[in-house]
Amino acid sequence: MVHKVMLSPDGPKVSEIVYGTWRLLEGDPSPTTDALIERFEWCEELGLSTLDTAEIYGSYQVEAAIGEVFKARPSWRESFEIITKCGIDVPSEEKGDASIAHYNATAANLRLCAEKSLKLLHTDHLDVLLVHRPDWLTSADETASAIEKLLDDGLVLHVGVSNYTRDQVELLNSRLEAPVVTNQVEVSLLHMDALYDGTLTQCEQARIRPMAWSPLGGGRLFDPANESGARIRKCMDEMRGRYGDAEDDALAFAWVMAHPSKPVTIIGSNQEKRIRSQASAAGIKMERQDWYALWSAAKGHGIP
Ligand SMILES: NC(=O)c1ccc[n+]([C@@H]2O[C@H](COP(=O)([O-])OP(=O)(O)OC[C@H]3O[C@@H](n4cnc5c(N)ncnc54)[C@H](OP(=O)(O)O)[C@@H]3O)[C@@H](O)[C@H]2O)c1
């Protein structure tokens, strides 16, 4: 069972492993509302009480699909925490005035997106709203003013960022009354930048948990053509006996979650067996030398 943890010292409580919905509607045909209800039932059973979504997911269709689930099961709004993200505009029917993909963290756009998310998700509040990507053209003052207003109006309970550098987090925090509650960034055995560039260090220092996206490298861990992935999986074969014969995906999650910044790690699978396996990572405490063995396998060399 996945337990709840504090994302920041001021909350909110979220499940230590989160169910991500970027790929929610993938499949041919796309899953029906009933199929999504069944998937959310697995999440509920496993303790995956937090959903991660975004305005842009599924070409702007995922939030509405989740909203249909909450419409069919209104009591679930109390059972699940919703984290959504805003601020990416790509040419589409929904973004009629976008002629090129761009970031937009202006006050007007954040307000518009948040209000739209509330409506589509059939809720009167968002547990956490994240600015999806840093927008190089909007001042921190402007982004912060929109955030403060959303918090004051009770539409959003907590605010965070995604894919921000540590300097960008620091700048935005300097304009906010309460600091951001997370920075959602890519972390996996196949993508370790956040370990080196100060992103995870900053979260640890502020005692906020990062959220780790694409913990399996978007599935590349299992691509037979990926040499690093092949070395990692071979290394996992040698250690899985120590972890109750855990699957590769569970070990990959446990590797991310072992970092002292305590990343809340996001599942991206649509398959029941894999969701169950990845949720089981909450019960795995990876041993130091196994962690470094996987680091070395990923890099193809030992520590410097
Ligand atoms: N903030 C951001 O900018 C950002 C960016 C990307 C993602 N995210 C969030 O992070 C979540 C997770 O990202 P992700 O989907 O890239 O995660 P991921 O776990 O790295 O990749 C998921 C992909 O790997 C496949 N997969 C999972 N387990 C597997 C296994 N055991 N063997 C083979 N293939 C496997 C899945 O296919 P199946 O469905 O067939 O299992 C799916 O295509 C997203 O849903 C989203 O919420 C955030």
Side-chain angles (χ1 to χ4, degrees):
M1 181 81 175
V2 178
H3 293 292
K4 288 202 186 194
V5 295
M6 293 286 273
L7 195 54
S8 86
D10 297 324
K13 274 193 168 173
V14 296
S15 51
E16 192 178 11
I17 298 176
V18 162
Y19 187 62
T21 64
W22 178 26
R23 305 172 197 267
L24 189 77
L25 299 178
E26 282 182 6
D28 189 14
S30 258
T32 60
T33 300
D34 282 345
L36 295 181
I37 288 174
E38 188 185 19
R39 209 180 295 171
F40 286 16
E41 279 170 350
W42 308 331
C43 291
E44 192 180 35
E45 178 203 330
L46 294 165
L48 301 169
S49 68
T50 305
L51 303 174
D52 179 73
T53 189
E55 184 202 19
I56 194 178
Y57 285 175
S59 306
Y60 300 102
Q61 303 306 312
V62 164
E63 284 188 327
I66 296 173
E68 288 305 308
V69 171
F70 284 121
K71 205 158 112 187
R73 291 282 190 98
S75 66
W76 267 357
R77 184 59 194 95
E78 292 304 307
S79 315
F80 285 96
E81 298 81 35
I82 300 177
I83 299 178
T84 192
K85 314 182 206 76
C86 57
I88 305 181
D89 291 358
V90 301
S92 57
E93 212 174 291
E94 286 73 16
K95 301 282 176 182
D97 56 354
S99 55
I100 188 168
H102 60 278
Y103 302 140
N104 186 345
T106 56
N109 197 45
L110 294 191
R111 183 78 191 192
L112 197 71
C113 289
E115 287 179 350
K116 195 178 90 180
S117 296
L118 289 167
K119 203 165 148 212
L120 292 176
L121 290 161
H122 288 281
T123 182
D124 60 1
H125 69 278
L126 301 169
D127 295 283
V128 187
L129 179 68
L130 307 181
V131 182
H132 204 150
R133 294 261 171 188
D135 169 11
W136 295 293
L137 285 184
T138 303
S139 71
D141 281 322
E142 177 167 352
T143 299
S145 72
I147 289 172
E148 296 292 5
K149 183 87 174 60
L150 287 166
L151 290 167
D152 283 351
D153 293 346
L155 303 184
V156 166
L157 304 189
H158 300 272
V159 168
V161 292
S162 181
N163 305 300
Y164 270 44
T165 64
R166 55 177 303 156
D167 287 350
Q168 288 163 336
V169 171
E170 224 169 271
L171 172 60
L172 185 60
N173 275 344
S174 75
R175 302 299 200 271
L176 289 171
E177 270 181 39
V180 296
V181 296
T182 191
N183 188 6
Q184 186 177 120
V185 291
E186 184 173 9
V187 190
S188 73
L189 276 156
L190 296 175
H191 189 99
M192 297 190 194
D193 292 5
L195 274 75
Y196 293 93
D197 64 15
T199 305
L200 298 189
T201 312
Q202 179 184 47
C203 290
E204 187 182 347
Q205 186 170 16
R207 298 189 196 286
I208 63 171
R209 288 177 183 247
M211 294 182 71
W213 60 260
S214 289
L216 305 174
R220 283 181 296 121
L221 182 60
F222 303 99
D223 177 355
N226 188 300
E227 289 178 15
S228 179
R231 286 194 303 269
I232 292 165
R233 284 182 283 112
K234 184 166 178 289
C235 183
M236 286 174 168
D237 273 342
E238 289 156 18
M239 68 178 67
R240 81 177 76 255
R242 287 193 283 286
Y243 301 100
D245 286 333
E247 300 280 350
D248 291 348
D249 54 2
L251 292 173
F253 268 60
W255 186 89
V256 171
M257 295 170 77
H259 189 273
S261 61
K262 302 181 184 162
V264 163
T265 304
I266 316 176
I267 292 178
S269 176
N270 289 328
Q271 298 192 33
E272 180 178 5
K273 183 171 169 285
R274 292 174 179 172
I275 293 171
R276 289 185 183 280
S277 169
Q278 290 161 34
S280 77
I284 299 176
K285 189 175 177 340
M286 184 158 285
E287 290 172 18
R288 170 178 297 276
Q289 296 198 50
D290 288 335
W291 193 94
Y292 277 97
L294 287 171
W295 184 97
S296 303
K299 297 286 183 192
H301 58 75
I303 52 165

